[in-house]
Amino acid sequence: MPPLIPSWAPNLHPLVIHFPIVLVLTAAVVDLVDVAFERSAWLKAATTTLYVTGALSLIVAYVTGLQAAGSVLIPGMAYPVITEHRQWALVTMTYCIGIAALRLLVLRGDGGRSRRRRIALLAIGLVSVVLIQQTAERGARLVYEYGTGIIGR
């Protein structure tokens, strides 16, 4: 049976981290399109699906990140950044789980698709974009500035 992790990957984390980034950013873009052009109601379900799958993939990314921290060489100067990255990841994951729950409630509800509600949902989603960016920036610093994960333990 072939190994689950390719030989060039130090662990699963770098293989899964791009899924939540893409899913959450795409959800926010779909929300933006919905607000700007007032597209059809099916966008509500599409965006909810993107946020739910984004939140689920954030959970996987967070767990694999915790495992990765124990399996790669971490230079001493990278410890403050890895702590920040972990904290931002936890906040981002928690916030996006909350968005997914909110979106599921909105999807179930009989409320209309008022412009005000769509703008509020967009604003909530744009916060998740900032959180994702901050988390990813610190993760990128760990790899490209400190070389974390380049050489295994």
Side-chain angles (χ1 to χ4, degrees):
M1 179 172 183
L4 180 63
I5 302 172
S7 60
W8 52 264
N11 50 62
L12 281 174
H13 190 61
L15 302 176
V16 300
I17 57 172
H18 298 94
F19 290 101
I21 295 169
V22 170
L23 290 165
V24 172
L25 292 177
T26 302
V29 169
V30 173
D31 264 345
L32 182 63
V33 167
D34 192 28
V35 167
F37 301 109
E38 199 165 348
R39 305 311 296 174
S40 59
W42 67 268
L43 284 179
K44 186 165 76 168
T47 308
T48 299
T49 301
L50 287 166
Y51 278 117
V52 168
T53 55
L56 292 173
S57 66
L58 275 164
I59 294 168
V60 173
Y62 186 77
V63 170
T64 61
L66 293 176
Q67 292 171 338
S71 69
V72 297
L73 178 64
I74 302 170
M77 295 188 59
Y79 278 99
V81 180
I82 204 162
T83 299
E84 289 177 17
H85 180 57
R86 184 181 304 122
Q87 290 168 342
W88 278 98
L90 180 60
V91 169
T92 302
M93 178 186 66
T94 304
Y95 186 83
C96 287
I97 290 169
I99 289 176
L102 174 68
R103 296 300 295 233
L104 286 169
L105 288 173
V106 168
L107 186 64
R108 272 191 76 178
D110 289 334
R113 289 183 25 85
S114 72
R115 183 166 179 80
R116 179 175 287 184
R117 179 179 284 178
R118 289 182 290 124
I119 289 172
L121 289 172
L122 171 62
I124 291 167
L126 290 176
V127 171
S128 69
V129 171
V130 172
L131 293 174
I132 288 275
Q133 183 277 326
Q134 290 295 312
T135 305
E137 189 272 332
R138 284 158 178 82
R141 282 185 60 207
L142 287 169
V143 173
Y144 295 107
E145 188 175 328
Y146 296 104
T148 306
I150 303 301
I151 301 171
R153 279 195 174 161

